[in-house]
Amino acid sequence: MKIQLLRMEDLGRNERARWRALQAANPTLASPCFSWDFAEAVDAVHDDVFVAVLEEDGVIVGFFPFQRRLGAGRPLGGRMSDHHGVVAAPGTHWHWGELLLRARLSYWQFDHLPAWQCPPVMVRHAASPGLDLSGGFEPWLQRKLAAGQSMRKLQRAMRKLERELGPLKLDLHSHDDHAFATVLRLKSEQCLRTGEADLFATAWKRELVERIRAIDREDFGGRLSTLHAGDTLLAAHFGMHTPQVWHWWFPVYNREFAPLSPGLVMLVETARAAAGEGHRLLDLGKGDEPYKSQMADTAMPLVEGLAARPTALTAARHLRKRVGAWLRTSRWARPALPLLQRLRGLAGWVVFVPDLQPLALFA
């Protein structure tokens, strides 16, 4: 297999068409995160995006987009990506060691890799839950109604919202700039409220979603959706889509009506509309939020881990990992942890938890 390392700008019309054809040929890669347009948008806001192009007998059989800094690799888009890996047709095989060598990577860390692409290393297994809409919305709804009382309770909440505020109205393809700004603001507030780093405090992440919002192709696009009851905004969502998948990315809701589950109402109504447009899956993304297990009835197997070559950088990474484990478990180091947390992101470096995660790599 020939592997060539290129930049996005080195790929022309033929490579773009081949990328899209390979993605379309593999149902496990239907997520918008595997799309050419997503990679192009990330490349527009980052200067460290590379693509390893895999060829056999002069024919391109795969694309491996990633970000690289000093030989250390991370998935394309970092935390903004809910799926990553090699874009290739089913049955395509490659050697991870050779791929890393040709990509000039000492290691590549992954946490949303399709299980079928698992390298021969120790990994943790995970899943991306979703709503199976392949048979339409009604079959999914009937499965949820038969599974317990939660859906009936939600239906009662929907009726109460309509009685008190007015008819429910979903705008699946909203162009409201104020609603878009509201999604980003409420998502930032949610991050801070739950103790997570503010996603949109970083300029490139905000620019990325703005770029994706501006894309409206049949095979990829950003989608802003809003749900009103009468004139009251109950919930909103910004996500992405391909012909097969509606990707649940940044949902927010009006906390004033939290007892009536406006976020779940938004999800159900979005599923109804997305199924009506022919989408076969509403992908919720990996995560342990209770609503995901409550609403999902299918899941995409994923793996988390590290593919690495025996280099000095890899050895340094393992050393940092051991030091990080000591910092987090030693009573002697515990007083310094608040300071370390405040220094996160200094000079582009960040402290991660030990285990399969590196101690320090990328902001």
Side-chain angles (χ1 to χ4, degrees):
M1 176 177 285
K2 176 183 176 182
I3 301 176
Q4 186 177 11
L5 184 62
L6 299 172
R7 292 281 198 165
M8 285 294 295
E9 60 263 28
D10 298 325
L11 304 177
R13 180 182 304 173
N14 292 338
E15 289 82 8
R16 181 171 64 244
R18 181 60 175 162
W19 183 314
R20 288 172 171 157
L22 288 172
Q23 183 189 15
N26 194 333
T28 68
L29 304 179
S31 167
C33 297
F34 288 113
S35 296
W36 165 276
D37 298 87
F38 181 79
E40 194 172 45
V42 174
D43 181 61
V45 300
H46 267 292
D47 61 2
D48 60 353
V49 174
F50 296 85
V51 181
V53 182
L54 288 62
E55 294 185 19
E56 284 186 338
D57 300 324
V59 177
I60 294 176
V61 296
F63 295 91
F64 174 47
F66 61 93
Q67 292 178 242
R68 186 186 71 197
R69 185 180 300 180
L70 301 176
R74 65 169 172 173
L76 183 76
R79 287 183 62 198
M80 301 294 280
S81 173
D82 286 334
H83 296 276
H84 42 253
V86 178
V87 178
T92 305
H93 300 283
W94 60 88
H95 187 278
W96 274 103
E98 181 185 5
L99 180 56
L100 293 177
L101 177 64
R102 300 304 177 191
R104 301 175 190 171
L105 290 172
S106 287
Y107 58 85
W108 180 67
Q109 185 166 335
F110 53 88
D111 54 11
H112 292 76
L113 184 69
W116 69 271
Q117 297 190 13
C118 183
V121 298
M122 183 180 296
V123 297
R124 288 187 295 203
H125 291 271
S128 182
L131 283 62
D132 180 3
L133 304 175
S134 58
F137 174 77
E138 285 301 323
W140 171 82
L141 179 61
Q142 293 306 314
R143 289 193 295 273
K144 289 288 104 179
L145 287 170
Q149 295 298 314
S150 58
M151 184 57 67
R152 288 183 173 83
K153 180 180 178 181
L154 185 62
Q155 290 177 327
R156 290 194 294 270
M158 295 168 70
R159 291 192 290 269
K160 183 174 182 180
L161 285 168
E162 290 193 304
R163 287 196 306 270
E164 296 183 357
L165 300 174
L168 292 177
K169 178 184 178 183
L170 176 73
D171 186 351
L172 194 63
H173 306 295
S174 173
H175 299 284
D176 187 334
D177 291 337
H178 178 70
F180 181 71
T182 298
V183 169
L184 302 192
R185 176 178 59 81
L186 292 181
K187 182 55 65 174
S188 291
E189 291 176 1
Q190 177 189 354
C191 289
L192 297 175
R193 190 171 59 251
T194 57
E196 298 180 10
D198 180 0
L199 273 176
F200 297 115
T202 308
W204 74 262
K205 294 174 182 176
R206 181 178 291 268
E207 184 180 350
L208 176 64
V209 296
E210 289 172 347
R211 285 180 174 274
I212 290 175
R213 183 190 176 202
I215 302 173
D216 187 15
R217 293 175 46 87
E218 183 177 343
D219 59 354
F220 178 91
R223 284 291 181 263
L224 173 66
S225 305
T226 60
L227 178 70
H228 287 79
D231 295 327
T232 302
L233 178 66
L234 292 177
H237 170 258
F238 181 73
M240 302 180 286
H241 80 93
T242 62
Q244 297 82 23
V245 175
W246 190 279
H247 188 72
W248 197 249
W249 208 13
F250 299 116
V252 298
Y253 64 89
N254 189 331
R255 297 183 70 204
E256 179 182 351
F257 302 99
L260 295 176
S261 303
L264 288 182
V265 175
M266 175 86 192
L267 177 57
V268 170
E269 291 306 300
T270 300
R272 187 194 308 273
E277 291 193 349
H279 298 283
R280 300 174 61 84
L281 174 70
L282 196 157
D283 185 359
L284 297 175
K286 189 183 72 174
D288 56 3
E289 296 91 333
Y291 82 88
K292 292 185 178 183
S293 58
Q294 177 183 345
M295 307 302 284
D297 63 343
T298 188
M300 176 72 72
L302 304 173
V303 289
E304 309 170 1
L306 188 86
R309 296 190 299 116
T311 67
L313 184 62
T314 301
R317 181 253 176 208
H318 289 314
L319 176 60
R320 291 196 301 268
K321 176 184 174 182
R322 288 194 292 270
V323 173
W326 179 80
L327 286 171
R328 291 180 175 273
T329 57
S330 170
R331 65 187 180 92
W332 303 106
R334 194 171 298 129
L337 285 179
L339 175 61
L340 291 173
Q341 293 298 328
R342 287 196 294 270
L343 292 177
R344 297 175 68 111
L346 179 62
W349 296 81
V350 60
V351 175
F352 283 89
V353 297
D355 193 7
L356 288 177
Q357 306 296 326
L359 169 65
L361 178 63
F362 297 122

